[in-house]
Structure formats: C-alpha cells, structure tokens
C-alpha cells in the first residue's frame, strides 16, 4: 500500500480582474474521481492545504449540470462524504515529502487564488519533481506550478510538457474576460510547454514523473496513469 498526498486549495473565493470575488474552491469531480481510483487500488490518502484549513468545495461543481446528470452528481457527493481525510488536512508547512509515494493536485479555480502564489506548495512541487516522485496535476491545478521557482527565478517546470484548463475552455465557461490572468497563457510565459486537446474532452499528458490532465473529464484517466508510476 502506498500513501498519496492530495494538495488542495484553501480558497473559497477567486479575485477577478475588477476586484470582485467569484465563489470557488476545489472542483468536486477532480477530487472524487481520483480518490475513488486510488482507494480502489488499496492506497492511503492524506490531504494538505495552506494553513491546514478544510478545503472548500466549489458548490457549482456539485450541480447536476456539472456532472452530466443528477445520478452522477449524487455519486460525486457521496464519494466526497466518504472522503473523511478532507476534514482533517495537514498544513502544507508540516508536509514531509519523503512520507508519500505520490502527490496529486486537484483543480477548481481555488488554486488560481492561493496555490499559484504559495511558496511552500512550490517547494513541494519542486521537491517531488526533482526526487522523481509521481506527480499528478489536473485542470486548474497547474496554476500551482507557477509558484515552483528555482533560486535563479526560473520555473522548475520550464521545458516540461503539460496540459491544463485551456484558454478556449475558460472562454466557453464565460470567465476568460473576467479573469486577472489565464492559466494556459501564464504557464507558457513561465517556459512550460503546454499542449491542449479539444474543449471538455479527456486529455492527459505524461512527461517523466509528471502527469497532467486538461479538465474535469481527465481526472480519472490521470489517476490511472499516476497509478502506473506508483506501482
């Protein structure tokens, strides 16, 4: 049995370009699907957030429309209810990377608010990358990669091929024009090689020990790829 660390947002609001607050958190499917996949494979899960706050779920991600129907929404909600580790998170400052066999970052717009600028999360990501620890990051989770800087100011993921929630998807979701910055654009500016597939279609990219997924529909496929590296 391996131990997998979920690093999750603690933000329940995303600050838009006009200074207003958009309700957010983590995206339910992106935590629930991988959790089910990892637990079914017999692995242990731990959760860590900035300050050890209980990660807030984006309420919109629990809606039937966000899950392809009420039956699927009910399943996601039931999985989150069983995900008891969510209620007892570690603080990022207390994470010892050597204790974990893999690290996973769900998305939602929450990481755009906090993990994108969190230096402790950035050190966890850099440490996992350099140690060869299997690392999975999905949807808006790659915002956290922006905080993974080397001492010379370069991004630790520069030159890596990743996927992430695309500018096209942000536009279709109606938030691109309201955002302070767009994830795909900012990753490219940091020197990351971003490839994206069709909007909303599952798309997973593997580069060395890093596995990334483009959108909520990619989360389970990402988890399955990550398990191949955990063994």
């Amino acid at each position: 049995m391996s131990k997998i660390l979920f690093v999750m947002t603690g933000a329940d609001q995303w600050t838009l370009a006009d200074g207003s607050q958009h309700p957010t958190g983590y995206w339910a499917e992106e935590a629930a699907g991988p959790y089910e996949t990892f637990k079914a494979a017999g692995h242990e899960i731990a959760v860590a957030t900035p300050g050890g706050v209980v990660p807030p779920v984006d309420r919109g991600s629990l809606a039937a429309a966000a899950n392809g129907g009420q039956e699927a929404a009910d399943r996601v909600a039931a999985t989150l209810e069983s995900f008891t580790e969510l209620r007892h998170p570690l603080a990022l400052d207390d994470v010892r990377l050597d204790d974990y066999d893999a690290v996973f970052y769900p998305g939602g717009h929450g990481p755009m608010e906090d993990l994108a600028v969190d230096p402790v999360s950035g050190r966890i990501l850099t440490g996992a990358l350099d140690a060869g620890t299997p690392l999975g990051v999905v949807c808006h989770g790659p915002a956290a990669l922006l905080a993974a800087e080397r001492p010379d100011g370069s991004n630790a993921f520069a030159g890596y091929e990743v996927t992430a929630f695309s500018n096209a998807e942000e536009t279709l979701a109606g938030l691109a024009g309201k955002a302070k910055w767009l994830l795909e654009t900012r990753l490219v500016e940091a020197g990351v090689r971003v490839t994206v597939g069709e909007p909303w279609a599952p798309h997973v990219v593997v580069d060395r020990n890093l596995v990334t997924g483009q959108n909520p529909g990619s989360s389970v496929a990402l988890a399955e790829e990550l398990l191949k590296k955990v063994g």
Side-chain angles (χ1 to χ4, degrees), residues 119 122-132 135 145-160 190 208-209:
R123 288 195 292 273
I124 291 171
L125 286 163
T126 304
L129 196 69
D130 292 348
L135 175 61
L145 307 187
L146 298 170
E149 291 190 343
R150 301 290 188 190
D152 65 1
S154 66
N155 190 279
F157 292 86
Y160 275 76
R208 289 159 275 187
N209 60 312

Side-chain angles (χ1 to χ4, degrees), residues 160-199:
Y160 275 76
E161 184 179 356
V162 310
T163 190
F165 199 71
S166 66
N167 290 355
E169 286 167 318
E170 202 73 84
T171 299
L172 290 169
L175 289 165
K178 301 177 182 180
K180 285 183 177 180
W181 48 272
L182 296 177
L183 178 55
E184 181 184 344
T185 299
R186 187 65 65 86
L187 288 169
V188 170
E189 290 172 350
V192 181
R193 295 168 51 219
V194 181
T195 64
V196 297
E198 290 297 315

Side-chain angles (χ1 to χ4, degrees), residues 3-4 14 30 34 36 47 51 77 89 95 104 119 129 132 143 153 156 172 197 217 223 226 228:
K3 193 169 186 179
I4 300 175
W14 177 36
E30 295 167 22
E36 284 186 323
V47 173
V95 167
F104 173 65
L129 196 69
L172 290 169
L226 195 65
K228 294 177 185 178

Side-chain angles (χ1 to χ4, degrees), residues 39-115:
K39 294 293 278 190
H43 299 306
E44 184 180 350
I45 306 298
V47 173
T49 64
V53 301
V54 173
V57 66
D58 186 317
R59 305 305 299 181
S61 69
L62 296 172
N67 291 282
Q70 191 59 52
E71 184 177 345
D74 290 344
R75 179 180 175 182
V76 166
T79 298
L80 294 181
E81 184 64 28
S82 71
F83 192 165
T84 55
E85 297 90 346
L86 286 171
R87 299 191 278 277
H88 307 284
L90 296 164
L92 290 181
D93 286 308
D94 295 331
V95 167
R96 288 170 39 89
L97 193 56
D98 290 348
D99 292 341
Y100 302 97
D101 301 286
V103 179
F104 173 65
Y105 277 68
H109 282 105
M112 301 273 284
E113 185 75 14
D114 60 357
L115 298 180

